[in-house]
Every structure is written in C-alpha cells, then in structure tokens.
C-alpha cells in the first residue's frame, strides 16, 4: 500500500524488509531522540521495533523521489494515538517531516478520525516539538520526560 504525499514524497507500507534502515538507528543523536538512550540498534532490535510499530498502527517507510527513483529516507507510524516519525540523518532539516505529518493529517481527516496524538516528545527534542507544533499540534499533558501532543479536528457533526 502506498500513500502519496505529493509529487516527490510517498509512504510505502512496511513489508518486513528493513535492512536499509539500520544506519538511521546507528546514529547516536537519532537513537537519543527516539528512545532517550545511547546504545545503537542492531538488526534484531530494529526488526522487533518495526514489528511492534506495525501492530500498533500502520508502519510506513518515507520515500523521496531522487533521480527518477524513490529512496527510503525515514519511517512513520500512522496511528490515531501516536505518530512516531524518524527522518534519516542525511535528510533532516529539509521539510520532509512536515510534509509527511501534514499529509497524514489530511489522511486522518479523510478517514473521519477526530484527532491525532503523539504519545511523548522528549523535552530536549526541540526539532520534533517544532515539527508537530508547526503542524497545529498542541501540548496536551506533561509526561515523565516531556509532553504528549494532540491535534483535534472539527467535524461536520460538531459544528
């Protein structure tokens, strides 16, 4: 299954193949922002995490069109009550995350969902805070190490 975000960005449903993603989770900064730990992932841990996320929601690889070929540049789990996203270190700060989140907001509305939420963004993960706040999410409650965020949609029935 594919979700087309725009002309050059799409989400490809997780199919169990993920070896290409391991380098993203070897990056110490990425691992810290994702898990608040410093030990890098190995293939077993990566597959276990992806299996968990795929059961929790719809796990997708974020693919960017580069020279007529779609290249995986991150992952995102589309779930009403959590929306974890990782962009590969070489592709961060290019607006890819924002395009993905805005596309998923559109998809959630299309499906008739009434909200999207992020379970926790760590206090020191200012990039993720800016990303979600820039897409309309608001802090909903404090967590042990940060805050959860929520975006509510107005539906026709509520107007």
């Amino acid at each position: 299954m594919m979700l087309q975000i725009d002309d050059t960005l799409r989400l490809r449903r997780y199919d169990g193949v993920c070896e290409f993603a391991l380098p993203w989770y070897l990056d110490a900064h990425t691992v810290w922002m994702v898990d608040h730990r410093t030990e890098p992932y190995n293939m077993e841990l990566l597959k276990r995490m992806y299996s968990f996320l795929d059961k929790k929601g719809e796990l997708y690889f974020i693919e960017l069109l580069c020279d007529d070929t779609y290249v995986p540049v991150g992952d995102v789990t589309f779930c009403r009550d959590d929306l974890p996203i990782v962009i590969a270190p070489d592709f961060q700060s290019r607006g890819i995350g924002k395009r993905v989140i805005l596309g998923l907001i559109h998809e959630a509305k299309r499906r008739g969902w009434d909200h999207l939420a992020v379970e926790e963004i760590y206090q020191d993960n200012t990039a993720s805070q800016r990303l979600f706040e820039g897409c309309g999410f608001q802090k909903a409650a404090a967590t042990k190490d940060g805050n959860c965020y929520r975006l509510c949609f107005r539906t026709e029935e509520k107007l």
Side-chain angles (χ1 to χ4, degrees):
M1 179 179 162
M2 300 278 184
L3 290 176
Q4 196 70 38
I5 300 297
D6 58 34
D7 291 343
T8 62
L9 194 64
R10 72 182 186 188
L11 304 181
R12 180 179 52 82
R13 185 69 195 238
Y14 174 70
D15 60 3
V17 177
C18 61
E19 290 75 15
F20 59 85
L22 184 60
W24 310 339
Y25 291 92
L26 295 176
D27 178 76
H29 179 72
T30 299
V31 172
W32 181 256
M33 292 300 119
V34 169
D35 290 336
H36 247 208
R37 65 187 196 107
T38 56
E39 184 181 339
Y41 279 54
N42 58 38
M43 189 52 64
E44 178 187 342
L45 181 58
L46 182 66
K47 287 183 176 186
R48 200 170 44 218
M49 177 192 70
Y50 279 152
S51 177
F52 170 81
L53 291 172
D54 196 44
K55 288 177 183 143
K56 183 176 186 171
E58 297 173 24
L59 175 59
Y60 292 93
F61 287 112
I62 302 163
E63 295 184 331
L64 182 66
L65 186 62
C66 299
D67 298 325
D68 297 323
T69 303
Y70 278 96
V71 177
V73 298
D75 59 66
V76 64
T77 303
F78 188 40
C79 177
R80 192 179 315 224
D81 294 312
D82 201 11
L83 206 53
I85 183 170
V86 168
I87 303 297
D90 292 344
F91 292 89
Q92 293 174 0
S93 300
R94 295 186 188 184
I96 294 169
K98 186 167 189 172
R99 290 162 58 196
V100 168
I101 298 302
L102 290 173
L104 290 176
I105 289 169
H106 176 76
E107 179 65 15
K109 289 177 179 179
R110 189 190 69 75
R111 293 182 185 191
W113 293 6
D114 63 349
H115 75 277
L116 282 172
V118 180
E119 198 170 282
E120 181 174 48
I121 298 176
Y122 296 121
Q123 196 63 39
D124 57 345
N125 191 343
T126 56
S128 285
Q129 292 168 25
R130 282 192 313 269
L131 166 64
F132 284 96
E133 288 172 1
C135 292
F137 285 74
Q138 297 179 340
K139 289 180 185 176
T143 61
K144 179 179 175 272
D145 295 314
N147 291 285
C148 62
Y149 286 75
R150 188 171 178 94
L151 176 64
C152 295
F153 310 128
R154 295 181 67 190
T155 61
E156 294 301 318
E157 297 82 26
K158 294 179 182 176
L159 292 177

